[in-house]
Amino acid sequence: MKKLILLVALTTTCTFAFAQNGSSFGIKGGLNYNANGDYFESIGDNAKHPDRNIGYHIGLFGKIGNQLYFRPELVYTSTKSEYDSDNFSMQKIDAPLLVGVKVLGPISVFGGPSLQYILDTEFDGIAIDNVKDDFTVGLNFGIGLNLNNFGIDLRYERGFNDNEATFINNNGLASTSRIDTRPDQLILSLAIAL
């Protein structure tokens, strides 16, 4: 009986120690703004109709640590882009594996790899089944502000290489158009620790 009480006391103490160090678990969601090809080159084109490249994301996150922390996430993302007046939409699962550090009070910077698995793609109403790679790895880095159980962050994501999709055009031939399924993105997120 004494061993059981000691075990419960030790477990409780460790749990409160982790809570005081800033470890948490919660939900997150927000908006994605993606670019076709090079993000900074396409910003001028997107400025005319910025709503064409806005998507959203929703998911879960975990955080281990306080001053220096590890933050894995699992996120469902839906994006859309415009290519030559046609719409390209994509649904995917993202798994950023971020390492961050608090730099000034509640402000932190973070970065790390972001794993992506494509669930579905569609170009101008036609499903695309032959994406070069369903699974890709990219880079995710940004800045965050955390106040108690709420957090907001802005990050930039880019792929390590282009991931193209080819599709069959009206005459049955493979099209030479390039559709990048790993676009550069600005991601704005709101997170709530539970």
Side-chain angles (χ1 to χ4, degrees):
M1 185 67 160
K2 288 181 183 180
K3 289 181 182 180
L4 180 61
I5 293 172
L6 183 61
L7 180 63
V8 170
L10 184 61
T11 304
T12 305
T13 303
C14 289
T15 302
F16 283 116
F18 258 131
Q20 291 171 350
N21 284 335
S23 296
S24 60
F25 170 81
I27 57 173
K28 64 172 289 184
L31 299 175
N32 298 35
Y33 186 77
N34 54 299
N36 307 336
D38 183 11
Y39 190 85
F40 296 103
E41 287 178 12
S42 67
I43 256 181
D45 295 336
N46 294 339
K48 296 173 187 172
H49 303 282
D51 60 320
R52 292 182 182 164
N53 289 13
I54 292 179
Y56 65 90
H57 64 275
I58 186 164
L60 305 170
F61 73 90
K63 181 182 170 197
I64 301 168
N66 188 27
Q67 190 67 26
L68 177 66
Y69 61 88
F70 174 60
R71 181 177 168 137
E73 300 177 353
L74 187 60
V75 181
Y76 170 81
T77 303
S78 178
T79 64
K80 64 180 180 174
S81 301
E82 184 175 298
Y83 287 87
D84 297 325
S85 299
D86 291 321
N87 293 318
F88 173 66
S89 62
M90 179 172 49
Q91 291 75 43
K92 59 185 182 159
I93 298 292
D94 289 315
L97 303 172
L98 307 171
V99 174
V101 62
K102 285 188 177 179
V103 291
L104 182 63
I107 299 173
S108 62
V109 294
F110 54 86
S114 179
L115 311 175
Q116 168 185 284
Y117 181 76
I118 298 173
L119 299 172
D120 189 28
T121 55
E122 185 177 293
F123 182 71
D124 198 29
I126 301 167
I128 303 173
D129 295 326
N130 54 349
V131 174
K132 183 178 174 185
D133 294 309
D134 285 336
F135 177 80
T136 60
V137 179
L139 176 66
N140 210 306
F141 61 90
I143 187 168
L145 173 68
N146 291 304
L147 301 170
N148 296 325
N149 291 342
F150 296 96
I152 187 167
D153 68 61
L154 180 64
R155 60 182 78 172
Y156 175 72
E157 179 181 283
R158 68 175 308 275
F160 286 134
N161 55 4
D162 294 334
N163 189 24
E164 298 177 4
T166 57
F167 54 96
I168 306 300
N169 61 18
N170 291 339
N171 58 12
L173 300 174
S175 174
T176 57
S177 295
R178 176 183 173 273
I179 297 177
D180 191 358
T181 60
R182 188 69 198 223
D184 295 354
Q185 298 184 76
L186 280 178
I187 303 168
L188 179 65
S189 299
L190 176 65
I192 302 170
L194 303 175

